């Protein structure tokens, strides 16, 4: 069973930066993609970016050029570098592992972008 633990959320002003981390443990053999989702207050959870086993990075249009996903295999950690943050980026950010027929989620980390 894969476990995902996010960290790095917090409060930042518009235009600022944050880096989220996701520590991955357990068997990752069957993971097809790993990535980040977010859920803004009162809205549905939405994809931010997915990193496939083949190395493809699929970013949502609203974060292209501002967010970057990366992974450190030696540390079993996934990162999300977020730059030029906007108020609409506020929400709970979830790390995810896609097994094809099922998803595993972390507990989420809150990002608040405000003056």
């Amino acid at each position: 069973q894969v476990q995902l633990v996010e960290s790095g959320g917090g409060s930042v002003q518009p235009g600022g930066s944050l880096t989220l981390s996701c520590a991955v443990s357990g068997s990752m053999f069957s993971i097809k993609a790993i990535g980040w989702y977010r859920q803004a207050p009162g809205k549905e959870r939405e994809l931010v970016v997915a990193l496939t086993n083949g190395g493809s990075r699929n970013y949502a249009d609203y974060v292209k050029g501002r967010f970057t996903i990366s992974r450190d295999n030696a540390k079993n950690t996934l990162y999300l570098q977020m730059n030029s943050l906007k108020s609409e980026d506020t929400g709970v950010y979830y790390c995810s592992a896609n097994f094809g027929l099922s998803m595993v989620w972390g507990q989420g980390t809150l990002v608040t972008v405000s003056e």
Side-chain angles (χ1 to χ4, degrees):
Q1 182 72 18
V2 169
Q3 290 185 323
L4 308 172
V5 180
E6 302 96 334
S7 61
S11 295
V12 64
Q13 292 185 334
S17 298
L18 277 176
T19 300
L20 305 183
S21 300
C22 173
V24 184
S25 61
S27 175
M28 293 174 277
F29 179 75
S30 298
I31 292 178
K32 300 186 181 303
I34 194 164
W36 294 92
Y37 283 70
R38 72 184 186 189
Q39 188 165 18
K43 295 189 177 181
E44 301 269 326
R45 191 174 298 188
E46 59 185 3
L47 174 69
V48 175
V49 58
L51 175 60
T52 69
N53 281 344
S56 296
R57 290 163 167 80
N58 302 316
Y59 290 95
D61 287 343
Y62 50 81
V63 303
K64 284 181 180 177
R66 300 189 299 125
F67 291 11
T68 303
I69 190 171
S70 62
R71 66 188 296 173
D72 184 331
N73 290 330
K75 296 182 178 179
N76 286 337
T77 301
L78 185 72
Y79 301 99
L80 182 66
Q81 174 67 43
M82 305 186 294
N83 297 326
S84 302
L85 283 161
K86 305 175 182 180
S87 58
E88 51 262 45
D89 293 319
T90 293
V92 179
Y93 284 69
Y94 296 91
C95 184
S96 68
N98 186 339
F99 290 85
L101 296 179
S102 64
M103 298 280 288
V104 173
W105 302 93
Q107 83 287 352
T109 186
L110 177 63
V111 172
T112 303
V113 185
S114 65
E115 294 288 351

